[in-house]
Amino acid sequence: MDEFDKIKKMYDSGYRCIRYDDTKDGEMCIYFKNFENENSEAMRVSGFDQKMQIKNFINQNTMK
């Protein structure tokens, strides 16, 4: 299972992205929190295509 699939499962379990730090040519660090049970998770992702796919998913699933 790749990172994108893990993130979708985390969102299904109630986690939400609270922040991500992306460097131009390095890894992207993503921080998640489940506000129902107060658990936190972090993940590192590399690869331009995967980072863009994850950013788009997070932005589409953010409450406005």
Side-chain angles (χ1 to χ4, degrees), residues 15-51:
Y15 283 88
R16 296 297 177 259
C17 177
I18 55 174
R19 179 177 145 210
Y20 60 79
D21 298 322
D22 188 13
T23 57
K24 183 177 180 184
D25 295 321
E27 291 183 322
M28 178 170 71
C29 298
I30 312 165
Y31 305 92
F32 300 92
K33 182 169 184 169
N34 184 320
F35 290 95
E36 293 175 14
N37 59 23
E38 299 298 319
N39 287 341
S40 298
E41 296 283 336
M43 179 182 297
R44 292 183 184 273
V45 178
S46 58
F48 179 79
D49 291 337
Q50 188 150 32
K51 290 193 304 186

Side-chain angles (χ1 to χ4, degrees), residues 58-64:
I58 289 170
N59 291 335
Q60 288 175 357
N61 289 283
T62 299
M63 286 192 275
K64 296 179 167 76

Side-chain angles (χ1 to χ4, degrees), residues 4-17:
F4 183 65
D5 289 332
K6 289 179 189 175
I7 290 171
K8 290 194 302 187
K9 284 189 177 209
M10 289 174 70
Y11 265 70
D12 290 342
S13 298
Y15 283 88
R16 296 297 177 259
C17 177

